[in-house]
Amino acid sequence: MLDRWSDLTAKALLAFAATLAFLLSFLVVADVVGRTVFSSPVKGTPEMVSMSIVIICFLQASYAIRSGGMLHVDVFSALLPARGREALAAFGCLLGFAFFAVIVYGGIDPFAHAWSSDEYEGEGALRIPTWPARFIVLLGSGLAAADYALLFLSHLNSASKGKA
């Protein structure tokens, strides 16, 4: 049940990230056309693009983990028996969990500060609040850590049964 919920959530966030990237491409084209043809770029484009890239990356992290799309180097693990490969994969999942858990832990205070102080990115005509990007970093990292925990349990179960 938890695996199914995680899969659905990862796919929904992936679809949202893809939609955001698609819409962002229109903003960049409008900015380039406005800058070259009309000598008037779209105000706030650098700020929106920089925030959106962070949001897109962290929205896709959960799907990348669930689908096995994270980087794997199997030069040494290929030499191990099935149980050893599963144990090594379980250890890798622990490291992934720790990495994303540290991001969550380290991101709570910056998010709380951005939320309470109305922190903004940009100057002048368009100022963009930073709390949505900070929230997505927390959400994406939390889901990624949970996915690594689920994957760890799966690999541990496979390692104990001795199958790949």
Side-chain angles (χ1 to χ4, degrees), residues 73-144:
V73 178
D74 61 357
V75 172
F76 298 112
S77 62
L79 302 173
L80 298 173
R83 182 175 277 180
R85 284 193 305 271
E86 288 297 325
L88 195 57
F91 179 69
C93 289
L94 276 180
L95 293 177
F97 171 81
F99 176 76
F100 283 106
V102 167
I103 291 175
V104 170
Y105 177 76
I108 291 172
D109 284 342
F111 167 70
H113 173 69
W115 176 267
S116 64
S117 68
D118 289 332
E119 182 180 73
Y120 284 88
E121 177 84 18
E123 299 290 329
L126 185 65
R127 296 178 53 190
I128 300 170
T130 60
W131 70 263
R134 294 190 186 278
F135 174 74
I136 294 298
V137 168
L138 288 176
L139 176 70
S141 296
L143 289 172

Side-chain angles (χ1 to χ4, degrees), residues 48-66:
M48 286 187 276
V49 168
S50 66
M51 292 268 195
S52 296
I53 288 172
V54 171
I55 289 171
I56 290 167
C57 287
F58 278 90
L59 287 175
Q60 293 178 350
S62 182
Y63 183 79
I65 294 164
R66 300 290 305 166

Side-chain angles (χ1 to χ4, degrees), residues 32-50:
V32 169
V33 169
R35 185 179 308 271
T36 56
V37 176
F38 303 111
S39 297
S40 177
V42 177
K43 303 227 183 301
T45 298
E47 291 84 2
M48 286 187 276
V49 168
S50 66

